[in-house]
Amino acid sequence: MSASTDTITQKAPTGVEPSARGRESRSAAVLALARFEARELLLQIPVLAFLALYIGYVGWRLFIGGDGMDDFPILQEVDRATQSTSLLPAVVVFICANRAVLRSRRQSTDQQFDILPMEHWRRTVAHALSVLPLAAITALVVGFQFTWAALKPGAVGHGSAAELAAGPLTVLLAGVLGVLLARVIPVGFIAPPFVIGVFVLTSLVSAFTNGSHWVRWLGPVVTEEGADPFPSELLGRPAAWHALYLTGLVVLGLCAAVLVSGGRTRLVTSATALALAATAAGVAGQSPDVSGSVIAARTKASVSPQQEQTCVRHGRSTYCAFPEWTGRTADWAAAVDRIQSRAGGSAGGERLTVRQRIDARGGLESDAALPPSATPGHVTVGTRWGGNRLPEFAVGVASVLVAGNEQAAGRMCDARVVPIMWLALSTQPDPMQSLRDVRIDDSIEGLATALAPASPVSMSAQQTTVVRELLQKPHYSVAAKMKAHWTELTSSKTPTARVAELLGVPLSGKGTSADSGSGKCED
């Protein structure tokens, strides 16, 4: 009887390819180390201090600070405003992540890692992953900023997810670059000088290239501030391409750190190639300047806004705004009604056209002044609202009611300034503070220029005195005299002394000699 023997052939392990269970255990070890390093990173005093400063500053801007215009946020401005503050956590993450990687070198424990089963490059991956919680905290703060603004009753416009992603991606990129720098230059105190060097280098490059578009967009944060807010379709910012560029840089920095640490696997090589392609695509997409179609749209909105706007009727007047601002016309109408209720003659019932205007031809960083309109009964309003913009708009409305049009109001230098300023400021919650706010020098004495959306008003010292005295009187008593003597008060031939007399303001001893003449403009 013969016995049959079954032979089992099994491939001998080579020691090169780990088993599935081995890969899982090593991945779990990397995640465990990443959690440990993340906890250590969050407990460092500089990180806690900068996070407290970052969150405190954002909270102060949301709840305490600001100039009143934050009460009426424009969401395409809010999303960009979140980016610059994210540089605070980014700087400290860069420095502290670098120091965390070099901890073993400072403590002379590098040689002990050679006997551990975890490879050098896996520890690098764990250090890079440890910055994710800080990027997540930044994302939460950014999300809270935007949500808080979007939920306000006066919010207008549209935000961009790509713009909001720039802040968290900047923090993540800073952490990854800190890890990479530690692997390339393992020197203990290299991170702070490196930050200073990068700042100096970027400033020099920006100066030599005259702030070229493609150079500025190579940086992590590009806010482009200065001009009044634009409608969303006129921004022309390559935010999506920039988010792709930052994402590519994050992955590329991680792959470079892993490669330097010896992790030359096919997965890392493939990820490096993909990250290079994403970064190159992002650079190519964000480098071209503003497109011709956007420039044409900006010109059209600046020169002939009526072709782009929606007009709404409130009471006797018409209010025209860009589509995103149509909900704000009721606020403009309320301000106009308050002013007209205190005006006399035909001004109290005049039909006005309040039109929103911008000058977008110079781009997002150009603070161009709006030319006054020569059309009778047309009042300019900007894209900002709240804070000082309220009394400035009131000055513009009162100027048109008294002078007829903005161009004539801008050339005015006679006593009609008194009824203009009283009509505008007496309707404000704090008239004296509003007088200070609309004047360029923030004063309530002497000569100065009072701001308006398109036609600033020049106030002499004597006219300022009369306006200041009137604002301290009960508005109903002044309103009665204003309506009773409206024709004489709004005549260019009436001198300031006569205006003061009609309104019951004594000028003796108040410096009347400077402009008590016939009311004609002086050269």
Side-chain angles (χ1 to χ4, degrees), residues 297-364:
R298 287 178 177 179
T299 302
K300 184 178 180 181
S302 303
V303 176
S304 53
Q306 65 276 7
Q307 299 181 17
E308 307 291 326
Q309 293 178 341
T310 301
C311 294
V312 181
R313 196 170 188 84
H314 291 282
R316 67 178 70 88
S317 298
T318 303
Y319 301 84
C320 301
F322 292 104
E324 292 172 313
W325 277 267
T326 52
R328 194 164 287 173
T329 55
D331 296 326
W332 304 340
V336 171
D337 290 343
R338 287 194 300 268
I339 295 169
Q340 283 195 291
S341 67
R342 301 183 184 185
S346 60
E350 185 173 350
R351 299 179 183 273
L352 299 176
T353 299
V354 177
R355 185 174 300 282
Q356 193 172 48
R357 295 172 58 201
I358 58 172
D359 191 344
R361 291 170 291 184
L364 291 168

Side-chain angles (χ1 to χ4, degrees), residues 321-523:
F322 292 104
E324 292 172 313
W325 277 267
T326 52
R328 194 164 287 173
T329 55
D331 296 326
W332 304 340
V336 171
D337 290 343
R338 287 194 300 268
I339 295 169
Q340 283 195 291
S341 67
R342 301 183 184 185
S346 60
E350 185 173 350
R351 299 179 183 273
L352 299 176
T353 299
V354 177
R355 185 174 300 282
Q356 193 172 48
R357 295 172 58 201
I358 58 172
D359 191 344
R361 291 170 291 184
L364 291 168
E365 296 177 307
S366 174
D367 188 13
L370 294 171
S373 171
T375 306
H378 276 231
V379 181
T380 295
V381 64
T383 50
R384 294 191 188 277
W385 190 248
N388 293 358
R389 300 297 88 85
L390 276 68
E392 289 173 11
F393 172 69
V395 172
V397 173
S399 298
V400 172
L401 290 177
V402 172
N405 62 74
E406 292 178 339
Q407 195 172 83
R411 296 171 179 171
M412 185 187 305
C413 54
D414 52 62
R416 288 177 292 173
V417 169
V418 173
I420 287 175
M421 297 304 295
W422 183 84
L423 283 175
L425 303 182
S426 66
T427 60
Q428 303 302 311
D430 187 346
M432 293 301 293
Q433 183 59 44
S434 295
L435 175 61
R436 191 184 301 274
D437 291 340
V438 298
R439 287 163 61 98
I440 290 180
D441 60 354
D442 296 328
S443 71
I444 56 173
E445 296 181 353
L447 57 88
T449 298
L451 296 174
S455 53
V457 175
S458 298
M459 300 179 66
S460 69
Q462 189 187 45
Q463 292 160 3
T464 300
T465 299
V466 176
V467 171
R468 188 175 67 246
E469 294 293 329
L470 288 174
L471 292 177
Q472 297 179 60
K473 293 176 175 290
H475 69 84
Y476 51 83
S477 65
V478 179
K481 297 174 183 177
M482 185 74 66
K483 292 180 179 181
H485 304 286
W486 179 259
T487 302
E488 189 173 359
L489 289 171
T490 57
S491 171
S492 60
K493 299 180 180 179
T494 306
T496 303
R498 175 59 178 165
V499 169
E501 180 184 351
L502 291 173
L503 296 176
V505 177
L507 286 179
S508 58
K510 296 183 182 291
T512 63
S513 59
D515 46 3
S516 58
S518 64
K520 296 181 179 179
C521 299
E522 297 180 359
D523 294 333

